[in-house]
Amino acid sequence: RRLAPVTELTFDYRLDTASKLRVELAHAKSKRAWSGELTGLPQKEWATAKLRFKVPEAMQKDVFADEIRFLLPPGAGSGSV
């Protein structure tokens, strides 16, 4: 998917023990990644989150992401997206 200079991602999630979540948009071939982190998240309930990624290079050329990575802190247990 082509990224805009400001790309917004909205998703539903459920965390069991973690209260933060790191999200990355990535392009596997170029190994580029744009990341954001959400903190203070509720546990043991489904919630909706919105995260904005700044991709300034998208103003000058086409930039793509082909992966979305949801990363929990080390030892944080499990979660669902």
Side-chain angles (χ1 to χ4, degrees):
R1 164 157 269 172
R2 180 178 292 138
L3 301 179
V6 177
T7 299
E8 189 170 274
L9 177 68
T10 303
F11 59 95
D12 294 328
Y13 69 92
R14 177 186 161 90
L15 299 174
D16 290 334
T17 59
S19 62
K20 67 180 181 177
L21 177 65
R22 183 175 182 82
V23 182
E24 295 180 348
L25 301 179
H27 185 257
K29 185 176 179 181
S30 69
K31 302 198 185 307
R32 292 290 324 256
W34 301 268
S35 63
E37 188 170 287
L38 298 166
T39 59
L41 302 174
Q43 298 173 346
K44 300 185 190 284
E45 64 182 62
W46 281 98
T48 299
K50 187 182 294 189
L51 192 56
R52 286 191 174 146
F53 298 86
K54 292 184 180 179
V55 187
E57 58 268 38
M59 292 173 56
Q60 299 162 352
K61 62 180 179 175
D62 289 341
V63 178
F64 294 88
D66 55 8
E67 298 178 12
I68 301 174
R69 302 173 185 158
F70 297 93
L71 308 166
L72 294 171
S78 64
S80 301
V81 177

